Every structure is written in structure tokens, then in C-alpha cells.
Amino acid sequence: METGKIIVEKVAPSQTDVVWIYAITYGGGIVSGDSIACDITVGDGCTTVLTTQASTKVYKAVGTKISEQVLEARIGSNAFLAVIPDPVTCFSTAKYSQKQVFKVMSDSSLLLVDWITSGRHERGEKWDFDLYRSMNNIFHNGDEPLFLDTSLLEQGTCSDIAERMQDYQVIAMVILLGPKLKHIQNQIQEDVKKIMSQSLHMPTIGSRQSTSRHNDHHLTKPSFLASCSIFGPKGIGVVTRIAAMTTESVYNFLQHQLSSLEPLLGVKPYSYASMREWIPSFYNEEESSHCKLSLARSKRQHDPLSMMNQNIEKVKLKKDTTSIF
């Protein structure tokens, strides 16, 4: 039986009431056929951060074996859970499936970042894995579905993943749910609107910008795409979907959008310079606990880049390109 390790640390300043949890695996990655499960309960009024030491590496598949991870979390009344890992990186031929289930109360708050890179660029691997599946389900008050989502990237007989993803090397999803994240929900929607209005704005015919682009014989493909949509009763949740050409651009976006969480979390998420002094030792055996093993299955699937393009096209049909969200 394979085991994992969880480190629980008080990484924030003493005046900040939050616990950070670092999940790691022995060997530095997930081996073909591994099945890892974690179960977390955040008590009423508590704040918890679940993160990683580095990117989650998924090694090459052996035969038909799939590597799997399952996270189940219950978030109590007036509690806050932030799941802010580094991205998943699948090696060539890897097969990976993850399922994350969150059960929330009406006043719970949840921040979830779920993202993947195209692979090991230094090895020439770009979207070279065989399968990536990520399920994220949120249930309200026990078993009432609030948000059900599955992203699927799979090599096909007609086209491979790299062909479908084109020049984009990262896809990400950010979920903001609950009263403690309301200010960030408003901010991220406004910022995405500005970013995409600038990226997709078509200059008027005859303008200097239009003439310049016409001479180039093509329009520049945006290096960063994002779309926002609300979900849940009274719009209590916001989901942002991202496709980017560089990992750094997504890190920068996350740093900027989540920086106002410092009073709640003790440090700014994804700002590693400020976190460095708080990063715990991952070799303290007294603070480790074994992860249980289980399997995960997916029900509804979609291609994340296609879905984002559909969202953008829908908006463009409703509004002019100077204000598309």
C-alpha cells in the first residue's frame, strides 16, 4: 500500500488564526497506479489552507494504470477553506484523474484553484500525456448540488491535445464562494473584463492601430484568456477559467487577485518571497499522517479550452467588443 504525508503547520504570524496544510508524496510525485485520498473537516469558524510544496508531478503511465487522487472536504459554518496548490504537471504518456468534493454550509467560504501545465518543456513534452481528468463538485447543506464540473483532456484518434490547445501551455480554474470572498469576486470580474476588453478589442477601420495590424496580415493571438461566470443562488459563487501561454502569467494573475487575503491567511497566496520564512520542514515525522487510498470516477466531461471559447463567443454576441463580460 502506498502512503502519502500531510504536514500541518502554523505558518502565519501568531495573530492570524489559520492553519496551513502541506500535502506531499514520497518520491516527489505520483507513480502510475497510485490512488491517494484525503479527508478534511474544517470546523465552525475555522480557517484552513491546503497547498503543496511544488507542482504535483504525475509520472509516466505503465500500461493502462491510471494515477488517482481524491479530496473530500467539509466546511463548517462561518469557516473558510483555501485550496491553493501549485499546478499539476503530467509527464509524457501519464494518465491522471482527480476528484474533489466540497460540502459547504450557507455561510461557508471556499477558494479553489485547480490548474495544469502542458508538461516538461525542457524535455520537449507539451501536452504529451494520455489522459487528464479533474472533477470538482460542491454540495450545499449536505447533498444539494451547487457546482458540478469536470475538465477532460485526452489524446484522440482525430487530433491530439497539443493540436487542440494550440499555443496555450496552462489552463486553470479559480472558484470563489461565500461571504468572506465577496470583495474578491467583485474585483476579479472587473479585472477580467478589463483584461479581455483590451486583448480582444477590435480597432476601428482607418485607425493607426488598425492599419498596423492590417500590415501584419493577422491579428495577434491573446497570450492570456480568461472568462468569469457566477453560479449558485443569488450568485454566491464566481468561477474564473483561464488559458495562458506561460505559467508565470497565471502565477502573476493569482498573486494579484488573491493578495487581499493576507489578513485572513497570514501571507499572500502564491507570493513565495513573503512565504519563504514560513515554509515548514517536510521531514518532521512527528507531524505526518498517512493518506488513505481510494478511487475516483468522472460523470460529466468537457474540453476546458473549448468551453472557454464558447463562453467568450456567447458574450461577444450580446455585447460589443469594448465590454465583453
Side-chain angles (χ1 to χ4, degrees), residues 275-294:
M275 291 173 59
R276 190 172 293 117
E277 62 181 296
W278 302 107
I279 293 178
S281 167
F282 292 99
Y283 302 100
N284 186 343
E285 299 297 334
E286 295 180 357
E287 295 181 327
S288 68
S289 62
H290 289 162
C291 295
K292 299 176 294 182
L293 305 182
S294 66

Side-chain angles (χ1 to χ4, degrees), residues 86-283:
D86 292 287
V88 172
T89 298
C90 292
F91 290 17
S92 175
T93 73
K95 297 181 177 72
Y96 177 70
S97 177
Q98 70 175 21
K99 180 180 181 181
Q100 302 184 119
V101 179
F102 304 91
K103 297 184 178 181
V104 303
M105 308 295 288
S106 58
D107 59 350
S108 302
S109 295
L110 170 66
L111 163 61
L112 170 63
V113 179
D114 185 25
W115 54 321
I116 180 175
T117 69
S118 59
R120 299 181 296 175
H121 291 190
E122 69 280 1
R123 297 287 188 92
E125 298 177 3
K126 293 185 178 181
W127 306 113
D128 201 28
F129 51 85
D130 286 350
L131 171 69
Y132 170 83
R133 180 190 295 119
S134 179
M135 295 181 63
N136 290 286
N137 297 337
I138 304 175
F139 295 92
H140 181 247
N141 290 334
D143 57 359
E144 179 185 348
L146 183 62
F147 181 88
L148 304 175
D149 181 270
T150 298
S151 297
L152 174 67
L153 292 172
E154 186 174 15
Q155 301 293 0
T157 56
C158 297
S159 64
D160 56 24
I161 300 172
E163 182 180 349
R164 299 196 299 271
M165 296 303 297
Q166 303 175 32
D167 295 326
Y168 295 98
Q169 307 302 325
V170 185
I171 56 172
M173 180 177 70
V174 182
I175 294 176
L176 300 161
L177 172 69
K180 294 184 179 180
L181 299 175
K182 187 62 178 178
H183 63 295
I184 301 182
Q185 292 177 355
N186 297 332
Q187 171 191 307
I188 199 169
Q189 290 181 85
E190 286 299 316
D191 287 351
V192 166
K193 177 181 176 180
K194 293 177 183 177
I195 292 171
M196 297 313 299
S197 293
Q198 294 172 0
S199 297
L200 300 179
H201 176 63
M202 297 290 292
T204 58
I205 297 177
S207 68
R208 182 177 302 176
Q209 186 179 10
S210 174
T211 303
S212 175
R213 291 193 176 188
H214 177 72
N215 293 336
D216 290 339
H217 301 291
H218 68 276
L219 294 176
T220 303
K221 183 184 298 182
S223 61
F224 188 95
L225 291 172
S227 66
C228 284
S229 56
I230 61 174
F231 65 89
K234 299 181 180 180
I236 61 173
V238 172
V239 56
T240 302
R241 301 182 189 276
I242 300 166
M245 294 185 182
T246 66
T247 307
E248 290 76 14
S249 64
V250 181
Y251 270 120
N252 291 337
F253 179 83
L254 294 172
Q255 290 171 10
H256 175 72
Q257 298 300 327
L258 305 179
S259 61
S260 61
L261 287 175
E262 184 176 8
L264 283 175
L265 305 183
V267 293
K268 298 177 181 179
Y270 295 108
S271 296
Y272 293 107
S274 63
M275 291 173 59
R276 190 172 293 117
E277 62 181 296
W278 302 107
I279 293 178
S281 167
F282 292 99
Y283 302 100

Side-chain angles (χ1 to χ4, degrees), residues 4-44:
K5 183 177 181 181
I6 293 179
I7 305 295
V8 181
E9 288 279 342
K10 180 73 173 180
V11 306
S14 58
Q15 64 269 26
T16 305
D17 189 13
V18 58
V19 171
W20 284 60
I21 301 174
Y22 289 79
I24 65 174
T25 55
Y26 295 111
I30 301 176
V31 178
S32 178
D34 277 358
S35 187
I36 304 170
C38 291
D39 189 276
I40 297 176
T41 297
V42 183
D44 295 348

